[in-house]
Amino acid sequence: MTSSSAQAAVTSDDAVLAYALRWRVRSPMPGAHRGADAGALGHLRQIVPFDRSPDPRRIDLRASLRDPFGGLHVREFEQRAAAAVHVLVDASASMRPAWPRACALARLVVTAARTLCDAFGLVVAGGSVLHERPARHANADGDLDALDTTLPSGRGIDALVGAAQRVGRRRSLVFVVSDFAFGLEEAARLLEALAAHDTVPLRLLDPAQDLMPRHGLAELRDREDGRRRLVWLRPALHARWREAREAQSRALHAISAAHGAAMLDVGARVDAEALSAHLLGR
């Protein structure tokens, strides 16, 4: 996998991702987001008595003159701060058809994080953790190159859950990129491991499933264990399969909502505008 093939999975070459945070960031690093701490710069938060924030450089003369008791008042500003953004990528074998889109999503996120001066972290995990980068402001190109050259393999999400538990206590924006082709209990376990964070599950759909014939002989293969099975499809069986698939989708979205995480389904190509609208509209 190369960066050019990952780029080809995006709707346009100049696609830009936008996101906003739903909480005030507590961080000593200056950035673009609303901070939880007061500072000397940023948006005016409130006027407070001098003894609460004793900085003579921020004395508000008008508010001080209006005080009938002659007290001094200062302007308190909302410090703009940098956040930490993580991308957790499911690299189990079932993700092979979706891998260019997974790489494209990671590149969109890291580009957006750079623009907003946020730290960026990356976890790639299949049967085991294949690559792990803690959130930092250093250049992420080498990590993305490692993602591009990864071949999804292995089964299950135990390694991904373990990595999710190591994201840390500091609240972060966490993208989970996966086809979510595993049990509902496992999906709930993964999201529970990220309960302290603002989590965005991105489910990569498999367009090939829409090409399943309604009638005839078909060979089905489990992408994780490689087992094959011949199935004689007929309209009634095809309808039951579609109903089960739609029920699984509804259940995944319900589990995500129950964990405060709105899931977004990503189709055959990554639409940066649709993803931005999803992130900004949460």
Side-chain angles (χ1 to χ4, degrees):
M1 191 67 59
T2 65
S3 59
S4 58
S5 60
Q7 184 62 45
V10 188
T11 50
S12 64
D13 292 342
D14 58 350
V16 177
L17 179 66
Y19 61 84
L21 303 185
R22 301 183 292 178
W23 78 95
R24 294 179 185 270
V25 179
R26 191 175 297 279
S27 169
M29 296 293 294
H33 306 289
R34 298 180 65 185
D37 301 316
L41 299 173
H43 293 291
L44 179 65
R45 176 188 292 179
Q46 59 185 342
I47 305 296
V48 299
F50 182 81
D51 57 359
R52 277 185 51 183
S53 185
D55 186 344
R57 297 171 299 175
R58 294 187 281 117
I59 292 176
D60 189 301
L61 293 177
R62 182 175 298 178
S64 299
L65 291 172
R66 286 202 303 262
D67 188 336
F69 301 102
L72 284 176
H73 294 263
V74 297
R75 294 183 296 273
E76 187 175 81
F77 295 92
E78 181 183 273
Q79 182 73 48
R80 306 297 283 184
V85 180
H86 298 262
V87 179
L88 273 58
V89 185
D90 174 8
S92 57
S94 67
M95 282 285 291
R96 288 186 183 181
W99 200 244
R101 286 176 288 157
C103 295
L105 283 167
R107 288 190 175 276
L108 282 175
V109 174
V110 73
T111 300
R114 282 174 178 166
T115 301
L116 296 176
C117 301
D118 289 334
F120 174 77
L122 176 68
V123 171
V124 184
S128 61
V129 175
L130 305 177
H131 187 80
E132 190 167 9
R133 163 200 163 102
R136 57 179 185 266
H137 289 85
N139 192 299
D141 289 344
D143 301 276
L144 292 175
D145 290 342
L147 177 65
D148 285 337
T149 57
T150 295
L151 178 65
S153 60
R155 301 181 61 185
I157 62 166
D158 288 345
L160 197 63
V161 171
Q165 294 169 340
R166 295 193 298 274
V167 167
R169 296 182 179 180
R170 176 188 170 192
R171 192 175 192 191
S172 305
L173 178 61
V174 181
F175 293 85
V176 179
V177 181
S178 173
D179 55 6
F180 285 86
F182 38 79
L184 298 177
E185 291 184 0
E186 290 181 298
R189 187 161 61 95
L190 176 58
L191 294 175
E192 183 62 33
L194 296 167
H197 304 285
D198 186 1
T199 306
V200 183
L202 301 176
R203 184 169 70 127
L204 301 179
L205 303 179
D206 183 1
Q209 292 189 353
D210 295 325
L211 304 177
M212 183 79 71
R214 292 173 54 84
H215 193 280
L217 188 65
E219 183 182 57
L220 306 181
R221 180 172 63 87
D222 188 306
R223 290 196 177 114
E224 295 209 350
D225 61 22
R227 289 185 299 178
R228 298 174 182 269
R229 181 181 179 186
L230 283 176
V231 177
W232 180 259
L233 294 173
R234 54 193 186 279
L237 179 60
H238 187 275
R240 289 201 302 271
W241 172 77
R242 289 191 65 88
E243 290 171 2
R245 179 186 172 196
E246 291 168 1
Q248 172 84 356
S249 178
R250 290 193 298 270
L252 281 170
H253 280 267
I255 288 172
S256 296
H259 287 82
M263 176 176 284
L264 178 67
D265 292 337
V266 179
R269 291 177 68 82
V270 175
D271 187 336
E273 290 186 6
L275 177 53
S276 296
H278 175 75
L279 295 172
L280 298 174
R282 294 177 303 148

